Amino acid sequence: MTPTTYASLLKDLQRLEKRVTEAHVALSRSSPRLAGRLGARHTVSETGGRVEDFVVLCARKSAVQFLLRTVYVRVLEDLGALDPPRIRGDRGFATFKDVAPGLGVRAYLKFVFADLSRDFPGLFTAGPDEVGELPPEDLCREVWDLWHHPNRDGVTYDWAAPEAAAASETAAEWRFDSRFLGDLYQDLDAEVRKRYALLQTPDFVERYILDHTLTPALAEFGLEPESVARQGGGVERQTIRVLDPTCGSGHFLIGAFRRLAAAFEATGLSARAACERALDGVWGCDLNPHAVDIARFRLLLEVIARTGDTDAAWLGDLSERLHLTVMDSLVPWEKGGASGEQADLFDQSGAKDRLSKYATAEERAANAAFLSAEGAGGFHVVVGNPPYITPKDVRKRDDYRAFWPDSAAGKYAMSAPFVERFFSLGVPGAYVGQITANSFMKREFGKRLVERALPRVELTRVVDTSGAYIPGHGTPTVILFGQNRTSPRSGTIWAVLGKRGEPKRPAVAAQGLVWSAI
C-alpha cells in the first residue's frame, strides 16, 4: 500500500470513526446495563480517572475495532483466505439477503464477524472493554459503501496481487506488507494511541536494530543453537529465538520472522516448512490485548503472502502455535521462583509478595514459563521499543520500584526499568537492542540505572538518535545495544553522539541527514 493510498484510507476511516464513536457513546449513556458493565470494567482496569471518561474511551476503542474488523475481512479476502468473499463484491450480502430479506448491512456484518470469530477469536470477538454492539444501520451502510466505491481521489483499496502475467514487472515487484495494520491501529484515534502508548517502530529503525542483534546472533548461535531429546527417542532441533517483550502490533516480530524464514529457505526447506520453523523462533508479549491480536493476525498474513497457502487447517494449526501472549512484561514473573542471592534481594524489597495481586498462581506460572521460554531454552535476541510514559497507576508505579530497585528510582519513566528488563530476559550472551527515551541519561532518576544496572551487562553501543527525524517519536531517543554478559569481552563501548539535528524535516525519514550519518 503506497503512502498516498494509506493516507486516503486513514482519512476515510477517521471520518467514520468519529461518528461511530458518537453513536457508541450515546448507546452507553442510554443503556443502564451497558453503563454498569463498563463501570465495573473500570474498577478492575487500573486506569484511574473518572468512570465517564473511561466509558468514552471504551466507545472510542469499540469504534476503532469495528472499522479495523472490516479491514481484516478485506485483507483476508484479497489474499485468498476467504472463499467466497464476504465484503468484496456483492455476492456475500446478496446470499445473506436471499435467506434473510428483512435484515440489512448491520445484521450481515454481525453475522460475518461471528462466523470469522471461530477461526480468529481475538480479532472478531468484542473484548470486555468494548461496547459490544455494532453501530446503527445507516453507519454500517456507510462503511459498506466505503469498500464498494472508489473514494474521491479515485483510489480503490485492494490488497490482492496484481492480476498480471507472472513474468510482468508489476507482479514481480508486488509484495504484501502487513505494516499498515499496525499503523491504522495507532493512527485511527489519537486519544486511544496516547492512553495505551501505541507507537510502531519505523521500518528503517527496526532494520537497523535487527542488523545489530539478530544478524550477529545468527553468526554466533546459528539457526539451530541446540537440540533437545524427544519423547520416544531422537532429538529435536531448537530454533534461535527472538523476543520482543513490548511487541505492540508486532513490527519487530514481522521483521524477525522474514529474516528467519529467508534463512531457513536458504537451507533448502520449502517455503511452508521455513515459515513453520521461523514462527518457532518469534516470541512476543504486550499488555494491550488488541495489539497482540493484531500481531498474531499479521504473522499469519505474512505466512499466507509468503507461501500462497490458504489451507484453513494448516493456518489454524499455526495460529495455535504462535508464541504470543498478553502480559505486563515489566512484572518479573519468573523471579517468583528465583533462588540464591537473586531471590534474597527480590524478597527483601517485598517484591515477591506483590506478584500475587497481578494474576492467579496458574497465570503467574504460565507467564514465568513464557518469559523463560521454558522447554525451548531461553532467548538469544531481545529487541523492542518499550513505552516511554510514566506509570499511570500509583500502585504499579510503586510495585515497579520494588521489582526493579536498580533502575526504577524517583519520578522515573518506564523506559528506565525496561532497559534493565530487556537484558534480564536473554540467555548468557544474548544480543539486546532497543530504541528508548534518552531521559534517563539527562535526569536524576536515571543515575541508579547507569551506576547499578548497566555495569552488570556488556553495553556495546550507544547511538544518539535524538536529532534524527523518526516519525511518531516526539520524545528524544537513544538506541542501546549490548549483550547479556557479566564479564565484557571488550573494554570499548562504541558511541554515536549527535552534533546537530535535522535542518528541516526530510521528505523520506530514512534518508534524513542525521539518520544517514548514523
Side-chain angles (χ1 to χ4, degrees), residues 379-401:
F379 301 105
H380 307 89
V381 177
V382 182
V383 292
N385 184 356
Y388 312 154
I389 58 176
T390 56
K392 295 290 190 296
D393 186 87
V394 175
R395 293 167 295 178
K396 274 198 170 183
R397 180 192 65 196
D398 294 338
D399 286 345
Y400 291 150
R401 286 198 185 104

Side-chain angles (χ1 to χ4, degrees), residues 283 365 368-379:
W283 297 59
F370 183 92
L371 287 177
S372 61
E374 190 174 278
F379 301 105

Side-chain angles (χ1 to χ4, degrees), residues 35-239:
R37 176 171 67 79
L38 294 179
R41 182 64 185 170
H42 172 263
T43 303
V44 301
S45 66
E46 299 183 350
T47 57
R50 301 188 309 160
V51 175
E52 294 79 4
D53 294 335
F54 179 77
V55 171
V56 172
L57 181 65
C58 290
R60 301 176 81 113
K61 289 183 67 176
S62 300
V64 169
Q65 291 301 320
F66 166 65
L67 294 172
L68 284 177
R69 285 174 184 130
T70 67
V71 178
Y72 300 154
V73 175
R74 287 290 299 105
V75 173
L76 284 170
E77 291 172 337
D78 287 356
L79 290 180
L82 292 183
D83 187 26
R86 272 55 163 188
I87 294 179
R88 185 176 181 130
D90 295 318
R91 177 182 173 186
F93 185 47
T95 303
F96 179 79
K97 291 289 287 184
D98 288 340
V99 177
L103 299 180
V105 173
R106 183 177 185 271
Y108 176 64
L109 290 177
K110 186 175 182 179
F111 162 76
V112 169
F113 296 159
D115 180 47
L116 294 178
S117 67
R118 292 178 297 180
D119 295 322
F120 305 97
L123 291 173
F124 293 102
T125 302
D129 53 354
E130 290 186 58
V131 170
E133 295 289 341
L134 268 59
E137 177 69 21
D138 60 334
L139 285 175
C140 288
R141 170 60 69 174
E142 287 192 43
V143 173
W144 178 265
D145 289 342
L146 169 68
W147 298 115
H148 290 79
H149 301 284
N151 68 11
R152 57 194 166 279
D153 299 321
V155 178
T156 56
Y157 305 121
D158 193 339
W159 292 276
E163 294 182 3
S168 75
E169 183 177 343
T170 302
E173 290 181 350
W174 181 87
R175 190 191 75 171
F176 174 78
D177 189 345
S178 64
R179 179 181 177 82
F180 78 94
L181 289 171
D183 289 336
L184 277 178
Y185 181 49
Q186 74 176 28
D187 292 344
L188 262 176
D189 191 291
E191 182 61 30
V192 172
R193 179 174 67 249
K194 177 181 177 182
R195 188 64 176 263
Y196 293 94
L198 303 175
L199 184 61
Q200 189 162 230
T201 310
D203 55 355
F204 63 92
V205 176
E206 167 257 311
R207 289 196 302 268
Y208 180 77
I209 291 177
L210 289 177
D211 282 347
H212 289 82
T213 53
L214 181 53
T215 297
L218 284 168
E220 181 169 333
F221 295 107
L223 265 177
E224 300 173 321
E226 66 275 313
S227 60
V228 295
R230 283 180 181 162
Q231 289 185 345
V235 297
E236 178 181 359
R237 300 297 298 176
Q238 293 284 5
T239 303

